[in-house]
Amino acid sequence: MSDADRGAVVFDLGINFHPTDTDEFQVTLSAAAGNGLNGIDPFSLAPYADDLEDDLKDINGGNRDYLLEAWYKRTFKFLDHMELAVTGGIIDSTGYIDDNAFANDETGQFMNDIFVNSTLANLPSYDIGGAAELEIADFSVRAVVMNSRNEEDNNYNYYALQLGYSPDTPLGQGNYRVYGFTTWMLNM
Amino acid sequence: MKKTIKKKSFMCLACFLTLFSLPAMALAYDISEKLSLEGTLTGVYQYGDFNIKG
């Protein structure tokens, strides 16, 4: 295999509308020119994890271009330290599962896929689904349900659950997360 | 078997990517208290040295 060099430019646009303290709408669009070395390098992980030109056309085989997210979120506050947020629409599971304050940022922090999200987790993005986030003091529970298509064009449902604990101690803040996921094939 | 593993390991180590990234330019603008826009422009140039014979 011979050497190669390529580039890419990406523009992301996020529009957020929150008419009340408990209602929120989000639309995220992205356009890119070029694919960098993604697709031609010999590694299974993309050298640039951001969504590039080919990723942004016919997203997940759904005949949709450039529109990554379009969701509505409703937050219910029960007590001082307890609230439930429910989101529905075109969502990205990485916004809820396997979150990390320092990773999860392929534009500002890291480029290579390996540093952004766990390579062992299946985390579908930009498809129809819903998420529930329950926060009780330092504990959190997040559940995600999505319908997506894999690379073999098989339609499947995705279910994930994450339990989190974020203690704030004199030594600093810690974050502990345990999550799991499963899928259910709908057709071949 | 040991020799093969050693050879493959050497090949993996020898293949590398040189990456140049423009810093992400992010701009956030609050149109009103309820509506906000955020744009990010990022550029990257990547060079892959794949022509390594192990």
Side-chain angles (χ1 to χ4, degrees):
Chain A
M1 185 175 183
S2 57
D3 297 351
D5 64 320
R6 287 186 180 181
V9 176
V10 186
F11 178 66
D12 298 317
L13 178 65
I15 305 165
N16 185 274
F17 178 57
H18 49 101
T20 69
D21 288 342
T22 55
D23 297 293
E24 184 179 357
F25 296 86
Q26 170 78 25
V27 173
T28 307
L29 302 157
S30 184
N35 294 293
L37 292 180
N38 290 4
I40 64 166
D41 72 300
F43 308 109
S44 58
L45 297 171
Y48 191 31
D50 201 4
D51 302 299
L52 302 181
E53 184 173 342
D54 286 351
D55 304 317
L56 296 169
K57 291 175 182 169
D58 191 25
I59 297 169
N60 296 335
N63 294 321
R64 190 181 75 246
D65 300 336
Y66 309 118
L67 175 63
L68 302 183
E69 292 178 293
W71 48 255
Y72 166 70
K73 180 179 181 179
R74 173 81 177 178
T75 304
F76 304 92
K77 292 183 181 175
F78 300 108
L79 301 168
D80 282 350
H81 298 292
M82 180 177 176
E83 67 177 43
L84 173 69
V86 180
T87 305
I90 300 172
I91 63 171
D92 181 357
S93 67
T94 62
Y96 311 93
I97 307 295
D98 193 35
D99 57 313
N100 186 294
F102 299 102
N104 300 154
D105 183 1
E106 58 271 30
T107 57
Q109 283 279 23
F110 306 106
M111 289 194 293
N112 196 290
D113 229 356
I114 197 165
F115 299 117
V116 180
N117 283 107
S118 169
T119 55
L120 301 175
N122 178 17
L123 297 162
S125 296
Y126 318 136
D127 268 317
I128 288 287
E133 302 165 82
L134 178 65
E135 307 274 345
I136 306 172
D138 294 337
F139 295 91
S140 66
V141 180
R142 294 178 178 179
V144 173
V145 177
M146 289 180 73
N147 177 261
S148 188
R149 284 186 175 276
N150 63 14
E151 289 168 354
E152 282 84 41
D153 203 30
N154 294 322
N155 190 14
Y156 69 97
N157 282 343
Y158 171 85
Y159 308 94
L161 184 72
Q162 176 176 287
L163 307 176
Y165 175 51
S166 303
D168 202 355
T169 70
L171 295 174
Q173 190 178 32
N175 288 287
Y176 304 90
R177 300 181 190 90
V178 177
Y179 63 85
F181 62 91
T182 186
T183 57
W184 185 270
M185 186 78 77
L186 297 176
N187 59 12
M188 295 296 284
Chain B
M1 185 68 182
K2 254 187 179 174
K3 216 173 186 180
T4 312
I5 291 170
K6 219 174 182 182
K7 200 173 179 184
K8 280 183 178 174
S9 303
F10 172 75
M11 283 179 69
C12 289
L13 288 171
C15 293
F16 64 88
L17 298 172
T18 307
L19 307 167
F20 301 98
S21 173
L22 296 174
M25 289 171 56
L27 179 70
Y29 182 67
D30 291 330
I31 295 172
S32 70
E33 284 186 2
K34 298 174 179 176
L35 181 62
S36 61
L37 296 178
E38 184 176 351
T40 308
L41 183 66
T42 316
V44 63
Y45 168 78
Q46 300 176 303
Y47 178 80
D49 185 357
F50 304 127
N51 193 16
I52 304 292
K53 290 177 182 171

